[in-house]
Amino acid sequence: MSRFNVKKVAVLGAGVMGAQIAAHLVNCKVPVILFDLPASQGPKNGIALKAIDNLKKLKPAPLADASDAALIEPANYDDDLKKLKGCDLVIEAIAERMDWKSDLYHKIAPFVGKQALLASNTSGLSITRLSQALPEALRPRFCGIHFFNPPRYMVLVELIAAPATQPQALDQLEAFVTTALGKGVVRAKDTPNFIANRVGIAGMLGTLKEADRYGLSFDVVDDLTGKRMGRASSGTFRTIDVVGLDTVGHVIKTLQDNLSAETDSFYGSYATPKALAKLLELNHLGQKTGAGFYKKAGRDILRFEVESGDYVPSGQKADEVYGRMLKRPAAERLKLLRNAQGPQGQFLWAILRNGFHYAAVHLQDIAGTARDVDLAMRWGFGMKQGPFELWQQAGWLDVAKMVQEDIDAGRALSAQPLPDWVFKGPVAEAGGVHTAAGSWNPAAGRFEPRRQLPVYQRQPFPELLLGESGARYQSAGKTLAETDAIRIWTLDDEVVIATLKTKMHIISPPAGEGLMQALEIAEDGYQGLVIWPGEDPFCVGADLETMLKGLAAGGADFVDSLQKELQDGMLRLRYAQVPVVAAIRGMALGGGCELSVYSARRVAAMESYIGLVEVGVGLVPGAGGLTYIARRAAECAQASSGKDLLPFLTEGFTAAAMAKVGTSALQSRQLGYLLWSDVIVPHRDELLHVAIQQAKAMHAAGYRPPMKRLFPVAGRDGKATITGQLVNMRDGGFISQHDFGIARHIAHVVTGGDVDSGTLVSEEYLMALERRAFTALLSHPKTQERMMGMLSTGKPVRN
């Protein structure tokens, strides 16, 4: 299959979803035109322009780099439809009205390019009915595409074919959405609300119903149905507030309008809950209006009380006995909950049972395989496991019997029994729906493997479901060396891969030794070394606990020796005889940031968060981070027309002194932690593939490490200028006295200490200054207070 080359995309509709889809397209460097109605006053593109401007204000930020809003081209339907001819993909994302969408299709059809794809972003309208508004020539290139909100962060995209949709068109769109936009694609059948919203919203409605039955408040329900259950931390009601009560209400109405008691045995549970109806009546739509199931009053969070129609203090927590139950192995957990006497336990069993029941009954109607349901719920609703995965893990037939007993006893939301395939045949014999042969397709009566599109060859280790076969990075390829701290391995006998095994991939002394061993192996006959974490995070820094223990046992000299080993390791990576590529996903903080900047190249997933954050624990970067800032400032000054170091140094100093973290790979590039020569990859599962290819390309180009050279520093004059600014911040109450002291240490190192401006220094010289500052601060009581706070709570202490 030839590559679907998308040179430009048009998004029709500058509402919440349309504008944010456009934002994510420019995040991924896809040129985009954003259309809307002509404005009645002012510039005709005023509606689109206002939506583009608003993207810079939204939280969470839809733009990875706010300045990229300027890359979205505004347009209107009166003047600009001819621009559609230059677009390879047109995404319609106007309001969820069948008549409005159909009218727009009649208007745009003559202008859509002859090879372009047209897709409707809808959360549940019939794609078949929408396609009927199009001329016959366009129908083979039309389908549904359902992005989840917010499009930048939510992995799931559902693709839905109409009867005339060409298979090639769907394959092309899946490849583009996967590799260019970094999404996980699930193909859904053309049924109301498709897969994720059908299962997810039914689950939310069931949760509201069971919460009301057992008399549980919204905050207790959220405490039970969040992280404790392996679901999104926002739980149920906070999630509805974030999504928008009007949006959820619309999805519920789609179920109500397009289904009936004859077509869906769960139809009785689709009634709009009393609490939701009341809030909609009050126009309390959630986060967007400042009030929903919760609202903020000053620093307090209040929850809505249905009986009084008012807001009351929130903060109630679940009984910890159920928190402990939820930590038990799956089979034991479900049995404990089913036999629980308290209302919270009975509630938990009820919503799990309802979820299993609903997914099994509707599987054949809404999805091709059980895999599609479980991946949709992982990617679209933030679940660690989909309903079939959990059911299978807990013991397929045992859980099935418990669910059926509840159905027979009238405790379930529907009287419809579980399908026959649950109890007999291949699924019962295999102990679940996910097997090495594939996932269960009830319509075909067989286990089906995943689609083998060329785009998935770029994902050596895709996200797998429980029971699926496939390569796991922990054991794939050929192991070259392995310890408790690191695995050194290769997939192709050409590039070495180093994967840390420490908690949060911290650089402990054994991990540091392992990285040096990996480099030695790579230099002894391989084309390069890729440092790849396997899963998030990349690395959150050095081992603070070891540092504290080292200080107590061996004093400052011992800590100094540990830091020098780290610094020597970073220089060893920088001047290695083979290219070292850091493959970054998730957080690369502190030592993780230093590990990446001392690599020859970085390949970063779009959602990578990179920064020197040591100030948060009362320290300075001590593994070469400040040395990197000083060297980069010198390099940038040399490449510029002006030779004043200070302007180039200020940004790096500020980033380190304020512990700034790039909130995307694009912003990390602005902070200087990624360079323009580095590669940003939208899909995190393609990261290893791209990193290996980069290492091979650098080797093929005759890679040589940089030559060691001296570089100028700003000296005592630069330090005095920075210190003056710090004094103002301290005296103005913007930073504490301890923050002031830490920042002075940072200024001392990055300016080269007590030397004249322009003095040439080496990396080793600056690293010695780093170590002295690091060790001095490590002994400070306020720093130790910050470190202990971080180790015990995971949160920074301000003192």
Side-chain angles (χ1 to χ4, degrees):
M1 183 180 73
S2 60
R3 179 170 174 258
F4 178 43
N5 187 17
V6 178
K7 299 181 288 296
K8 184 175 285 188
V9 176
V11 176
L12 311 181
V16 173
M17 282 301 292
Q20 292 200 52
I21 291 169
H24 189 61
L25 286 160
V26 296
N27 287 340
C28 299
K29 296 298 174 267
V30 178
V32 60
I33 307 173
L34 181 62
F35 282 80
D36 211 295
L37 295 167
S40 57
Q41 295 181 342
K44 288 192 78 173
N45 291 333
I47 295 174
L49 285 166
K50 184 177 180 181
I52 293 167
D53 185 60
N54 195 48
L55 288 170
K56 295 180 280 188
K57 306 169 189 174
L58 294 178
K59 298 293 180 184
L63 288 161
D65 178 352
S67 66
D68 280 352
L71 300 177
I72 302 173
E73 180 182 349
N76 69 82
Y77 301 128
D78 279 2
D79 302 334
D80 302 316
L81 287 182
K82 58 185 178 295
K83 293 182 179 180
L84 292 177
K85 292 185 181 293
C87 297
D88 306 290
L89 172 63
V90 178
I91 300 174
E92 171 270 304
I94 68 170
E96 295 280 270
R97 285 272 302 266
M98 183 73 70
D99 54 342
W100 289 359
K101 288 177 184 280
S102 297
D103 288 346
L104 181 61
Y105 293 173
H106 289 301
K107 190 170 187 176
I108 67 169
F111 299 93
V112 176
K114 291 184 178 180
Q115 304 302 319
L117 302 185
L118 171 63
S120 174
N121 181 72
T122 172
S123 60
L125 295 181
S126 169
I127 302 304
T128 299
R129 285 183 58 198
L130 286 171
S131 71
Q132 292 166 359
L134 292 168
E136 298 230 359
L138 189 49
R139 292 181 189 180
R141 294 177 280 124
F142 174 75
C143 67
I145 184 169
H146 180 204
F147 286 87
F148 273 65
N149 191 23
R152 172 185 166 187
Y153 301 97
M154 298 303 292
V155 174
L156 180 62
V157 167
E158 293 174 320
L159 296 183
I160 311 96
T165 306
Q166 286 182 342
Q168 183 187 19
L170 225 56
D171 289 350
Q172 288 176 327
L173 190 54
E174 180 167 349
F176 171 73
V177 168
T178 299
T179 200
L181 304 186
K183 298 304 176 186
V185 171
V186 166
R187 295 196 187 183
K189 294 186 178 181
D190 189 13
T191 55
N193 292 339
F194 313 129
I195 298 175
N197 272 346
R198 180 71 174 271
V199 176
I201 296 300
M204 283 184 173
L205 287 169
T207 298
L208 268 71
K209 193 177 186 74
E210 301 294 355
D212 187 55
R213 177 184 299 178
Y214 291 104
L216 304 182
S217 64
F218 302 146
D219 40 6
V220 168
V221 169
D222 280 349
D223 191 34
L224 287 169
T225 60
K227 284 186 176 180
R228 293 175 186 267
M229 282 189 73
R231 299 183 177 182
S233 59
S234 50
T236 299
F237 297 101
R238 284 188 178 86
T239 297
I240 296 174
D241 274 357
V242 171
V243 172
L245 278 71
D246 53 339
T247 302
V248 171
H250 171 80
V251 177
I252 294 170
K253 193 172 187 305
T254 301
L255 293 174
Q256 294 168 347
D257 291 349
N258 293 280
L259 296 167
S260 66
E262 290 72 36
T263 59
D264 189 336
S265 64
F266 286 79
Y267 188 76
S269 65
Y270 297 157
T272 304
K274 181 180 176 182
L276 179 62
K278 182 66 176 176
L279 287 165
L280 288 170
E281 181 186 326
L282 294 169
N283 201 39
H284 291 180
L285 306 181
Q287 191 169 279
K288 68 179 78 174
T289 60
F293 286 101
Y294 299 93
K295 81 171 182 180
K296 196 170 183 181
R299 294 187 176 182
D300 298 325
I301 303 295
L302 308 179
R303 62 174 169 83
F304 185 68
E305 189 176 66
V306 183
E307 293 76 17
S308 65
D310 204 352
Y311 286 87
V312 299
S314 71
Q316 292 184 20
K317 296 293 183 183
D319 190 327
E320 195 51 45
V321 67
Y322 300 109
R324 291 193 293 272
M325 283 185 188
L326 289 171
K327 293 179 180 178
R328 306 302 300 168
E332 183 182 350
R333 182 192 326 156
L334 265 57
K335 287 175 183 174
L336 285 170
L337 292 173
R338 191 184 187 227
N339 296 323
Q341 298 300 307
Q344 293 180 24
Q346 293 170 357
F347 161 79
L348 285 168
W349 164 249
I351 63 172
L352 288 167
R353 174 202 65 216
N354 295 342
F356 299 146
H357 187 193
Y358 194 90
V361 165
H362 288 91
L363 173 59
Q364 183 167 333
D365 298 330
I366 66 174
T369 70
R371 179 192 310 110
D372 297 324
V373 172
D374 280 347
L375 287 178
M377 298 315 292
R378 276 195 187 190
W379 294 339
F381 277 79
M383 293 185 177
K384 287 187 177 178
Q385 289 181 303
F388 289 117
E389 282 187 282
L390 175 57
W391 182 349
Q392 183 165 330
Q393 186 182 30
W396 185 263
L397 287 176
D398 287 343
V399 174
K401 289 172 184 173
M402 291 191 292
V403 172
Q404 189 59 52
E405 286 173 7
D406 277 16
I407 297 169
D408 294 341
R411 290 190 285 267
L413 294 177
S414 161
Q416 184 172 349
L418 291 172
D420 289 342
W421 57 260
V422 170
F423 291 103
K424 56 188 178 184
V427 171
E429 292 164 10
V433 291
H434 304 305
T435 69
S439 293
W440 182 246
N441 180 335
R446 63 174 180 264
F447 296 106
E448 289 190 354
R450 294 187 178 217
R451 283 186 301 281
Q452 296 299 310
L453 296 180
V455 68
Y456 293 118
Q457 294 174 11
R458 296 169 58 87
Q459 298 181 18
F461 304 104
E463 190 173 330
L464 296 176
L465 299 169
L466 179 76
E468 273 194 297
S469 65
R472 264 86 174 169
Y473 73 88
Q474 295 90 339
S475 56
K478 181 171 70 177
T479 299
L480 305 175
E482 188 165 13
T483 67
D484 289 341
I486 194 171
R487 182 179 181 229
I488 305 166
W489 54 295
T490 181
L491 274 174
D492 55 10
D493 287 322
E494 294 180 344
V495 173
V496 175
I497 304 165
T499 300
L500 294 179
K501 296 164 59 179
T502 49
K503 183 179 180 181
M504 300 291 282
H505 303 137
I506 60 171
I507 309 173
S508 63
E513 292 169 10
L515 286 170
M516 294 305 99
Q517 183 183 6
L519 184 54
E520 290 171 6
I521 292 172
E523 288 178 328
D524 188 24
Y526 289 85
Q527 295 183 19
L529 169 64
V530 170
I531 303 171
W532 177 70
E535 55 195 35
D536 295 353
F538 175 72
C539 171
V540 297
D543 188 347
L544 291 180
E545 200 167 353
T546 297
M547 294 290 180
L548 280 175
K549 289 178 180 176
L551 181 66
D557 289 343
F558 180 73
V559 172
D560 186 81
S561 68
L562 287 177
Q563 285 301 107
K564 190 169 190 314
E565 282 182 22
L566 265 176
Q567 293 175 341
D568 290 346
M570 297 299 175
L571 291 175
R572 179 82 174 82
L573 292 173
R574 173 166 162 74
Y575 296 105
Q577 295 304 305
V578 294
V580 178
V581 178
I584 306 164
R585 53 182 286 177
M587 294 181 292
L589 305 178
C593 176
E594 289 163 320
L595 185 61
S596 67
V597 299
Y598 277 87
S599 298
R601 181 157 296 171
R602 287 137 296 278
V603 175
M606 177 67 72
E607 296 306 323
S608 296
Y609 310 100
I610 308 173
L612 297 169
V613 296
E614 286 84 353
V615 168
V617 290
L619 295 169
V620 299
L626 300 182
T627 300
Y628 168 79
I629 288 170
R631 175 173 59 78
R632 282 290 299 155
E635 291 168 351
C636 291
Q638 185 178 18
S640 75
S641 55
K643 300 304 177 185
D644 184 5
L645 271 172
L646 204 55
F648 298 98
L649 189 62
T650 301
E651 284 187 13
F653 164 79
T654 302
M658 297 182 65
K660 284 187 178 180
V661 175
T663 55
S664 67
L666 297 180
Q667 196 178 76
S668 296
R669 180 181 274 162
Q670 288 185 345
L671 293 175
Y673 299 134
L674 294 178
L675 308 181
W676 284 102
S677 56
D678 294 330
V679 180
I680 296 174
V681 180
H683 202 300
R684 63 188 183 189
D685 288 344
E686 295 185 358
L687 193 64
L688 179 60
H689 168 82
V690 176
I692 289 173
Q693 297 308 311
Q694 287 289 310
K696 289 181 177 180
M698 293 170 76
H699 170 81
Y703 175 79
R704 298 288 302 172
M707 300 286 284
K708 282 198 172 189
R709 65 178 68 219
L710 303 179
F711 51 89
V713 290
R716 62 178 72 89
D717 291 345
K719 178 183 174 182
T721 300
I722 294 173
T723 301
Q725 296 169 349
L726 293 173
V727 168
N728 291 336
M729 293 180 70
R730 180 199 60 193
D731 293 349
F734 296 104
I735 59 175
S736 70
Q737 180 63 36
H738 192 46
D739 288 328
F740 173 76
I742 298 166
R744 284 192 67 192
H745 277 296
I746 293 173
H748 181 75
V749 177
V750 297
T751 57
D754 191 20
V755 297
D756 293 334
S757 177
T759 298
L760 298 178
V761 301
S762 66
E763 288 168 296
E764 289 84 354
Y765 167 81
L766 288 179
M767 284 182 170
L769 296 182
E770 271 189 38
R771 292 199 305 277
R772 285 200 285 274
F774 186 93
T775 305
L777 285 168
L778 189 64
S779 304
H780 198 291
K782 286 190 177 292
T783 287
Q784 292 181 10
E785 183 182 335
R786 288 190 184 187
M787 292 178 72
M788 293 306 297
M790 179 64 73
L791 288 171
S792 60
T793 68
K795 297 179 181 179
V797 174
R798 306 313 305 169
N799 57 11

